[in-house]
């Protein structure tokens, strides 16, 4: 009886650890705020941005004559998902090596806690408005994983 209590206690501790990891995953991967990005890039030449992040995906001219460069980042985020599996009954053949006879029975498999890593794919589009001197004057973002 003591080993069963220990096993239940261990399983509860394990579940608690993974729930804590799952809950803090968003905090760990939160990234920069929109104010930090603006402070870093507004007033900087667009060529510096291109050197760091590569060529923009699209560009367009806006009514005030400035150019908006659009940089799209595909984001893959891994996060652990704890899954508690119930025992499964499976039929199996048993071969008796002494008698050479087959018999049939069932066995229980697949119970316990497993952890699966899932991938969340999202997209972040950054809109960098540049004046005629190629200086970044405004930044906007669209997407779930973008700076907020």
């Amino acid at each position: 009886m003591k080993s069963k209590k220990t096993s239940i206690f261990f399983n509860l501790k394990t579940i608690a650890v993974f729930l804590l990891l799952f809950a803090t995953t968003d905090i760990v991967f939160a990234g920069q705020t929109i104010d930090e990005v603006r402070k870093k890039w507004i007033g900087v030449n667009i060529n510096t941005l291109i050197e760091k992040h590569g060529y923009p995906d699209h560009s367009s001219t806006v009514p005030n004559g400035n150019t908006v460069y659009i940089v799209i980042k595909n984001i893959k985020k891994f996060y652990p998902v704890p899954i508690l599996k119930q025992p499964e009954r499976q039929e199996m053949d048993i071969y008796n090596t002494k008698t050479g006879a087959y018999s049939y029975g069932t066995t229980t498999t697949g119970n316990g806690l497993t952890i699966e890593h899932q991938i969340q794919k999202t997209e972040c589009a950054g809109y960098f408005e540049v004046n005629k001197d190629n200086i970044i004057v405004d930044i906007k973002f669209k997407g779930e994983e973008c700076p907020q």
Side-chain angles (χ1 to χ4, degrees):
M1 187 73 172
K2 186 176 181 180
S3 66
K4 191 173 185 178
K5 284 183 181 180
T6 305
S7 176
I8 291 171
F9 179 69
F10 176 75
N11 285 337
L12 289 175
K13 278 178 45 177
T14 305
I15 290 170
V17 167
F18 285 111
L19 288 176
L20 179 64
L21 283 172
F22 182 70
T24 59
T25 300
D26 286 336
I27 296 169
V28 173
F29 297 112
Q32 297 177 328
T33 66
I34 187 72
D35 291 334
E36 290 171 336
V37 174
R38 284 187 173 141
K39 185 183 283 186
K40 181 178 180 179
W41 291 108
I42 290 182
V44 175
N45 191 296
I46 188 65
N47 292 322
T48 306
L49 179 79
I50 292 171
E51 287 172 11
K52 178 133 177 121
H53 293 284
Y55 287 105
D57 296 290
H58 306 286
S59 67
S60 64
T61 303
V62 291
N64 66 5
N66 288 344
T67 302
V68 174
Y69 292 99
I70 303 164
V71 178
I72 298 173
K73 296 286 184 181
N74 293 314
I75 300 164
K76 293 179 183 175
K77 183 173 158 183
F78 291 92
Y79 58 96
V81 178
I83 298 172
L84 186 59
K85 290 189 175 184
Q86 296 296 321
E88 296 176 4
R89 288 235 177 246
Q90 293 180 341
E91 289 187 23
M92 61 184 280
D93 296 334
I94 301 171
Y95 179 72
N96 188 330
T97 56
K98 290 185 181 179
T99 64
Y102 282 97
S103 63
Y104 301 96
T106 61
T107 183
T108 304
T109 60
N111 62 335
L113 180 70
T114 60
I115 302 300
E116 291 182 2
H117 293 283
Q118 296 185 358
I119 300 173
Q120 177 184 11
K121 295 179 184 179
T122 60
E123 187 176 271
C124 176
Y127 298 82
F128 296 85
E129 185 175 341
V130 176
N131 65 16
K132 293 185 190 298
D133 297 324
N134 287 333
I135 302 297
I136 299 170
V137 294
D138 195 16
I139 301 170
K140 292 185 173 54
F141 289 100
K142 287 185 183 176
E144 291 180 17
E145 293 296 319
C146 291
Q148 301 294 319

